[in-house]
Amino acid sequence: MNAFVILAGRDLRLALRQSGDSLIVVAFFAIATVLFPFGVGPEAAVLARIAVGVVWVTALLAALLSLDRIFAMDFEDGTLDQLVLSGHPLPLVVLAKVAAHWLTTGVPLILLSPILAVTMRLPAAGYGTLILALVLGTPTVSLIGAVGAALVLGTRRGGVLLSLLVLPLYVPVLIFGTAAVEAAIIGRPTEPMLMVLGGLALLALTLSPWAAGAALRQAVE
Amino acid sequence: MNAFVILAGRDLRLALRQSGDSLIVVAFFAIATVLFPFGVGPEAAVLARIAVGVVWVTALLAALLSLDRIFAMDFEDGTLDQLVLSGHPLPLVVLAKVAAHWLTTGVPLILLSPILAVTMRLPAAGYGTLILALVLGTPTVSLIGAVGAALVLGTRRGGVLLSLLVLPLYVPVLIFGTAAVEAAIIGRPTEPMLMVLGGLALLALTLSPWAAGAALRQAVE
Amino acid sequence: MEGFLEYLDMGGYAVWVWPAYGLVTTGLVGILAMTLRTLKARQKEFDELKSLRRNPSADGSP
Amino acid sequence: MIDDQFVPAAFTGEDLACHRGGRLVFAGLDFEVSPGNALVLRGANGSGKTTLLRLMASLARPATGTLFWGGAVVDDPEAHARRLRFVGHLDAIKLAQTVAENLVFWRALWCGPANEKIVGEAMGALGMAHLADFPVRHLSAGQRHRLALARVIAAPAPLWLLDEPGNALDEKSLAALSQMITVHRARGGMVIFASHGAAFVNDSETLDLGQFAATHVSHWSDDL
Amino acid sequence: MIDDQFVPAAFTGEDLACHRGGRLVFAGLDFEVSPGNALVLRGANGSGKTTLLRLMASLARPATGTLFWGGAVVDDPEAHARRLRFVGHLDAIKLAQTVAENLVFWRALWCGPANEKIVGEAMGALGMAHLADFPVRHLSAGQRHRLALARVIAAPAPLWLLDEPGNALDEKSLAALSQMITVHRARGGMVIFASHGAAFVNDSETLDLGQFAATHVSHWSDDL
Amino acid sequence: MHKFANPTLFMRIANAIFPWAAGLSIVLFTIGVPIALVTSPPDYQQGDTVRILYLHVPSAWSCMMVYGVIASGSAAFLIWRHPMANLVARASAPMGAVFTALALMTGMLWGEPMWGAFWVWDARLTSTLILFFIYLGYLALADAFEDPERGDKAAALLAVVGSVNLPIIHFSVEWWNTLHQPSIISTSGTSVSGAMLAPMLLMVGAFTSYYVAVLILGLRSELLNAKIRNARTSHAAAGQAAE
Ligand code: HEM
Ligand SMILES: Nc1ncnc2c1ncn2[C@@H]1O[C@H](COP(=O)(O)OP(=O)(O)OP(=O)(O)O)[C@@H](O)[C@H]1O
Ligand SMILES: Nc1ncnc2c1ncn2[C@@H]1O[C@H](COP(=O)(O)OP(=O)(O)OP(=O)(O)O)[C@@H](O)[C@H]1O
Ligand SMILES: [Mg+2]
Ligand SMILES: [Mg+2]
């Protein structure tokens, strides 16, 4: 537990100070969302129709962008060797890094999403559920992504492979995430979708640290 | 001229063999475009309405993803020092690297775009213009991006900064790129928009190698 | 008093007008305060350096 | 929590062989280090020193052969990891942190609560005390390498595995390295390191990896 | 096209000073190298050897002072670049290419048409001929460094600037390095290199950077 | 000290301007704000929301003018290596960003009652938003390097690149907007009546003189910073030479 705090703490501090991995995500998310109206035109009706989808898809893409680097930088500078030699169970190490990733990318995304939803003219009824769905969905995104990121370490085509591996796994999150918000907008119950999102998060939480840990160990070999 | 071919040739070979920078871009583009139907729902009318915009926006984001690395890898492994010491003018070096970048990311994007336009239900009348507009627009994207990528070398927040610096500058390309396709769909003349896109490309071609070259020189200092 | 309240109401647009004035005031005053603060800090640092310079130990400098 | 687990024991390996990239790098290699001793790995570039050190750290698995710690087979990589410190060709340093922050982090991760004093001592031992609040990005090559070495002092463990520790060090730093190895051995610690250069450690055994080369391509015979 | 521009001339610097990160690293430094000579830069870690070499390569600009080539002020960085080869702490090697591909590329970029024979000779001189078709990713630390050195032979230029060229090299490679420097100097070439270790070059002058240190923070006095 | 001969002259002029700019700003604000808030009549169409305009237009005007200053300062710095030009650009940037943010926020506060939405994709709104991103990029880049000199140069390059692009962006956005005209309301048609003109001009003057005054304060501060850096290093050099 102590190791968890130390590791996550360092990654947080590094993210805030150095690579701006968290800021890139937010900037990317904001600017990407702002670009859509230029592409599809400014008509409020069209924008409102696609608002949820655009916010969710760009959120996923933004997370993917930063996942690429979650272990890669440590791998390249030798830090991963030292983490494997830390004597702590690797799933714990993974969990700490995922927590830091989520705090630096998922949380800012969640905080920014209402503002972007305003520019996209999301109907007012959808805001609460959008945030709730993102809160439940983004940890899954980070957890699944970590497995992919660990698997592609040291391969020559890391980035591509990662998107190929991970994006299909994001489809359920995307479907239930948008469905929840749309249900909220037309006034139908959102609990079922939110429950599914929560279930996905739990599943990812139990499985992916082990899978990612195993992948990391064979990456350093 | 000779140096141009040598440099571009190497970057091309490296891209094909190693980092998969070009593949990641294509994969990202493909997957991002495929995710949208999940996000906004499968109604053909809505998809068709937003198809052009989505294809263009994801193309820009995809290019941005790989631009991040256009000089960064050379900077980190010392290659940039050696290129600056090559005795060739830096704008030429920049141009060669941009050419390689465009060939490995822009061209695959262009080739892939009709397929994705199908999944997004783009009306048939738009295909030819979409490709033409991408052919005229993507070089500008690579050229402008190179300036941004050179400026952020050695910063603590390379990636974020790059999107922050470059995406606003892409707005004209996006606007005229989508407008051309939309004009084609409703049967209006597309030449004016395509001319503007061509003009933007020429402008970028004359200015950005110098700007990027200046940025590179001060990056190694 | 009535009149004043009515004035404050801004013809029903108080929610928009007053925040606008508030925001602008905050922005302008904020940036002035920040500028003054860094100016003062740097002035202090500079004066310290100057008095250090007058020390006999650095007399050899041109 | 691990801080007081400084329990040296004989570290040995039997009949080790290792593949890299489908090629057998060395085979039939035995080694033995007892508490207080040092073992120097020598051999031409590419002879497998780095490979062997990673294998000893249980970062890589041997193709054949077994490692023993105090006579018992090393089979739990996590437990083994706690007994050793590894300094490789890569520095495992985050450029955005300061020298002290880097040390405090690893100390805390490896040995529980960060101890200000020991971190200060580690920096002092390698002549970096005045650089404590410097961002690593501003350090020269040798200073960075010294930081990687200081980590080993900040978080004590009985076995040190150092890959060319003398690289890029100036004379005084070499003396400091030699000194820190002497102190470590006096406590019963063990050191295994790869080196090409002059011996900066007294009274050490040498293992020449050239002997165990599995493929007999001499790099030189045909070229010079 | 540049291949035959091997025209050595005296390379000198006067009153050089250099900032790094807002700090003055050295000041008032003069140096001189004539054709056929070697200059060794010495000094503790962080004394500015790397900084000075980059400055000599016109990769960095001095805060004050001037460089001269054959008596003329060096003011066109591109022209100056064509006279020199620089090997820094970073190898400038692409891991995905083979050894030969790496060499051919730099040779072609720096000296026009790639010449198979000279590339082969360069690999031979550093004992890498048998590694020609090896991907660099599979090389050991010393082998990579040798590849960086081979580049300097593959693309001749009168002035060599080498930053700790002996790092990570085994004995035979050190001898090869020494040999390649001798050959270069016999042709009238000049070498300036930073080094901590034993002198592997005969008859060289030494420049101790400690003398020109602008800030007198001793790394040692207060710590050891 | 010859290095600062030029700055000395520059600062002498700037210091001479300062009291006038500061005084003018105070006077204009004290006259302008009461007129804008109290004595000017509500617009017959927009009611009292028109009072936001007296802030909105000056902010919008200032943010564009300040970008012009930054771009010319940066160009002068890159071409003639004029250090003061760079300081002018650096000191202006935070103010420009704040003015842009204020223009956006006051515009949004106006848009909600007028159009029923905080945000519409109007040409001018959109260009202003992009200008805001460019300001943020400039500030972030200038600050992103460990070595302050690199930050100066990189940011100056960016400002120049941005100034080439801004007109293109503005033109594109305007054109894009006319393309989609039917669906949105444009601000460009809004006519400014006589009663509105006086307070608006007063406030534009107040903002501009405020900018000039604070800029000079900022310049003093930046100059001190440069001198401190310089003193630090040459002090060290002198200490070394003495030994
Ligand atoms: C986020 C929202 C807005 C932004 C970013 C914005 C931006 C701008 C800009 C850049 C100018 C040009 C200033 C100049 O030429 O000196 C301007 C002027 C103006 N804006 Fe806005 N604006 C916004 C919202 C609004 C709204 C909602 C209205 C009113 C319905 C409005 C009415 C005006 C008027 C009347 C002028 C000056 C008169 C003119 O030049 O036509 N603006 N605004
Ligand atoms: N990027 C940088 N930013 C700021 N300061 C730097 C930077 N690089 C080096 N320095 C500082 O400049 C000084 C000289 O560094 P340099 O790398 O030239 O030393 P060196 O003599 O090559 O040392 P070494 O033997 O360790 O390679 C060091 O004190 C270092 O702290
Ligand atoms: N990642 C890798 N994949 C394939 N082969 C490798 C890899 N790393 C090293 N090798 C090969 O394994 C052999 C041993 O390499 P190793 O790095 O252990 O040598 P070393 O003795 O440490 O050399 P040096 O003195 O140069 O550091 C080398 O011949 C090298 O070609
Ligand atoms: Mg090795
Ligand atoms: Mg050095």
Side-chain angles (χ1 to χ4, degrees), chain D residues 116-149:
Chain D
E116 287 277 307
K117 196 171 131 271
I118 197 166
V119 167
E121 274 171 22
M123 288 190 289
L126 283 145
M128 306 197 80
H130 65 291
L131 295 174
D133 296 324
F134 244 64
V136 174
R137 190 182 298 282
H138 287 192
L139 297 188
S140 73
Q143 289 164 339
R144 288 183 195 189
H145 189 55
R146 269 147 62 186
L147 173 54
L149 290 171

Coordinates of all heavy atoms in Angstrom, one line a residue, chain D residues 116-149:
Chain D
E116 N 16.0 11.2 5.4 CA 16.8 12.3 4.9 C 18.3 12.2 5.1 O 19.0 12.5 4.2 CB 16.4 13.6 5.8 CG 15.0 14.1 5.5 CD 15.0 15.0 4.3 OE1 15.8 15.9 4.2 OE2 14.2 14.7 3.3
K117 N 18.7 11.6 6.2 CA 20.1 11.6 6.5 C 20.8 10.7 5.5 O 21.8 11.0 4.9 CB 20.3 11.1 7.9 CG 21.7 11.4 8.4 CD 21.8 11.1 9.9 CE 23.0 10.2 10.2 NZ 22.8 8.8 10.2
I118 N 20.2 9.5 5.3 CA 21.0 8.5 4.5 C 21.0 9.1 3.0 O 22.0 8.9 2.3 CB 20.4 7.1 4.5 CG1 21.4 6.1 4.0 CG2 19.1 7.0 3.8 CD1 21.0 4.7 4.3
V119 N 20.0 9.8 2.6 CA 20.0 10.3 1.3 C 21.1 11.4 1.2 O 21.8 11.4 0.2 CB 18.6 10.9 0.9 CG1 18.7 11.8 -0.3 CG2 17.6 9.8 0.7
G120 N 21.2 12.2 2.2 CA 22.3 13.2 2.2 C 23.6 12.5 2.2 O 24.5 13.0 1.4
E121 N 23.8 11.5 2.9 CA 25.1 10.8 2.9 C 25.4 10.2 1.6 O 26.5 10.3 1.1 CB 25.0 9.6 3.9 CG 25.4 9.9 5.4 CD 25.1 8.8 6.3 OE1 25.0 7.6 5.8 OE2 24.9 9.0 7.5
A122 N 24.4 9.7 0.9 CA 24.6 9.1 -0.4 C 25.1 10.1 -1.4 O 26.0 9.9 -2.1 CB 23.3 8.4 -0.9
M123 N 24.5 11.3 -1.3 CA 24.9 12.4 -2.2 C 26.3 12.8 -1.9 O 27.2 13.0 -2.7 CB 23.9 13.6 -2.2 CG 22.6 13.3 -2.8 SD 21.6 14.7 -3.0 CE 21.1 15.0 -1.4
G124 N 26.6 12.9 -0.6 CA 27.9 13.3 -0.1 C 29.0 12.3 -0.6 O 30.0 12.7 -1.0
A125 N 28.7 11.0 -0.5 CA 29.6 10.0 -0.8 C 30.1 10.2 -2.3 O 31.2 9.8 -2.6 CB 29.1 8.6 -0.6
L126 N 29.2 10.7 -3.1 CA 29.5 10.8 -4.5 C 29.7 12.3 -4.9 O 29.7 12.6 -6.1 CB 28.5 10.1 -5.4 CG 28.8 8.6 -5.4 CD1 27.6 7.8 -5.5 CD2 29.8 8.3 -6.5
G127 N 29.9 13.1 -3.9 CA 30.3 14.5 -4.2 C 29.1 15.2 -4.9 O 29.4 16.1 -5.8
M128 N 27.9 15.0 -4.5 CA 26.8 15.6 -5.2 C 26.0 16.5 -4.2 O 24.9 16.9 -4.6 CB 25.9 14.6 -5.8 CG 26.6 13.6 -6.7 SD 25.4 12.8 -7.8 CE 25.1 14.0 -9.0
A129 N 26.4 16.6 -3.0 CA 25.6 17.3 -2.0 C 25.2 18.7 -2.5 O 24.0 19.1 -2.3 CB 26.4 17.4 -0.7
H130 N 26.1 19.4 -3.2 CA 25.7 20.8 -3.6 C 24.8 20.7 -4.8 O 24.3 21.8 -5.2 CB 27.0 21.5 -3.9 CG 27.7 20.9 -5.1 ND1 28.4 19.7 -5.1 CD2 27.9 21.4 -6.4 CE1 28.9 19.5 -6.3 NE2 28.6 20.5 -7.1
L131 N 24.6 19.6 -5.4 CA 23.7 19.5 -6.5 C 22.3 19.0 -6.1 O 21.5 18.8 -7.0 CB 24.3 18.5 -7.6 CG 25.6 18.9 -8.2 CD1 26.1 17.8 -9.1 CD2 25.4 20.2 -9.0
A132 N 22.1 18.9 -4.8 CA 20.8 18.3 -4.4 C 19.6 18.9 -5.1 O 18.7 18.1 -5.5 CB 20.7 18.4 -2.9
D133 N 19.5 20.2 -5.2 CA 18.3 20.8 -5.8 C 18.4 21.1 -7.2 O 17.6 21.9 -7.8 CB 17.9 22.0 -4.9 CG 17.6 21.6 -3.5 OD1 17.0 20.5 -3.4 OD2 18.0 22.3 -2.6
F134 N 19.4 20.6 -7.9 CA 19.6 20.7 -9.3 C 18.6 19.8 -10.1 O 18.5 18.7 -9.8 CB 21.0 20.3 -9.7 CG 21.9 21.4 -10.2 CD1 22.2 22.5 -9.4 CD2 22.4 21.4 -11.5 CE1 23.0 23.5 -9.9 CE2 23.2 22.4 -12.0 CZ 23.5 23.4 -11.2
P135 N 17.9 20.3 -11.1 CA 17.2 19.4 -12.0 C 18.2 18.5 -12.7 O 19.2 19.0 -13.2 CB 16.5 20.3 -13.0 CG 16.8 21.7 -12.6 CD 17.9 21.7 -11.6
V136 N 17.9 17.2 -12.8 CA 18.8 16.3 -13.4 C 19.1 16.7 -14.9 O 20.2 16.5 -15.4 CB 18.3 14.9 -13.4 CG1 19.2 13.9 -14.1 CG2 18.1 14.4 -11.9
R137 N 18.2 17.3 -15.5 CA 18.4 17.8 -16.9 C 19.6 18.6 -17.1 O 20.2 18.6 -18.1 CB 17.1 18.6 -17.3 CG 17.0 18.9 -18.8 CD 15.8 19.8 -19.0 NE 14.6 19.0 -18.6 CZ 14.0 18.1 -19.4 NH1 14.5 17.8 -20.5 NH2 12.9 17.5 -19.0
H138 N 20.0 19.3 -16.0 CA 21.2 20.2 -16.1 C 22.5 19.5 -15.7 O 23.5 20.2 -15.7 CB 21.0 21.4 -15.2 CG 20.0 22.4 -15.6 ND1 19.8 23.6 -15.1 CD2 19.1 22.3 -16.6 CE1 18.8 24.2 -15.7 NE2 18.4 23.4 -16.7
L139 N 22.4 18.2 -15.5 CA 23.7 17.6 -15.1 C 24.5 17.1 -16.3 O 23.9 16.8 -17.3 CB 23.4 16.4 -14.2 CG 22.7 16.6 -12.9 CD1 22.6 15.4 -12.1 CD2 23.4 17.7 -12.1
S140 N 25.8 17.1 -16.1 CA 26.6 16.5 -17.2 C 26.6 15.0 -17.1 O 26.0 14.4 -16.2 CB 28.1 17.0 -16.9 OG 28.6 16.3 -15.9
A141 N 27.2 14.4 -18.1 CA 27.1 12.9 -18.2 C 27.6 12.2 -17.0 O 27.0 11.3 -16.5 CB 27.9 12.5 -19.5
G142 N 28.7 12.7 -16.5 CA 29.3 12.0 -15.3 C 28.5 12.2 -14.1 O 28.4 11.3 -13.2
Q143 N 27.9 13.4 -14.0 CA 27.1 13.7 -12.8 C 25.9 12.8 -12.8 O 25.4 12.3 -11.7 CB 26.7 15.2 -12.8 CG 27.9 16.1 -12.5 CD 27.6 17.6 -12.8 OE1 26.7 17.9 -13.6 NE2 28.4 18.5 -12.2
R144 N 25.3 12.6 -13.9 CA 24.1 11.7 -14.0 C 24.5 10.3 -13.6 O 23.8 9.6 -12.8 CB 23.6 11.6 -15.4 CG 22.9 12.9 -15.8 CD 22.3 12.8 -17.2 NE 22.0 14.1 -17.6 CZ 21.3 14.4 -18.7 NH1 20.8 13.5 -19.5 NH2 21.0 15.7 -19.0
H145 N 25.6 9.8 -14.0 CA 26.0 8.5 -13.7 C 26.3 8.4 -12.2 O 26.0 7.4 -11.5 CB 27.3 8.1 -14.5 CG 27.7 6.7 -14.3 ND1 26.8 5.7 -14.6 CD2 28.8 6.1 -13.9 CE1 27.4 4.5 -14.4 NE2 28.6 4.7 -14.0
R146 N 26.9 9.4 -11.6 CA 27.1 9.4 -10.2 C 25.8 9.4 -9.4 O 25.7 8.7 -8.4 CB 27.9 10.7 -9.8 CG 29.4 10.5 -9.8 CD 30.1 11.7 -10.2 NE 29.9 12.8 -9.2 CZ 30.4 14.0 -9.4 NH1 31.1 14.3 -10.5 NH2 30.2 15.0 -8.6
L147 N 24.8 10.0 -9.9 CA 23.5 10.0 -9.3 C 23.0 8.5 -9.3 O 22.4 8.0 -8.2 CB 22.5 10.9 -10.0 CG 21.0 10.8 -9.6 CD1 20.9 11.0 -8.1 CD2 20.2 11.8 -10.3
A148 N 23.1 7.8 -10.4 CA 22.7 6.4 -10.4 C 23.4 5.6 -9.4 O 22.9 4.7 -8.7 CB 22.9 5.8 -11.8
L149 N 24.7 5.9 -9.2 CA 25.5 5.2 -8.2 C 25.1 5.5 -6.8 O 25.0 4.7 -5.9 CB 27.0 5.5 -8.4 CG 27.6 4.9 -9.6 CD1 29.0 5.4 -9.8 CD2 27.6 3.3 -9.6

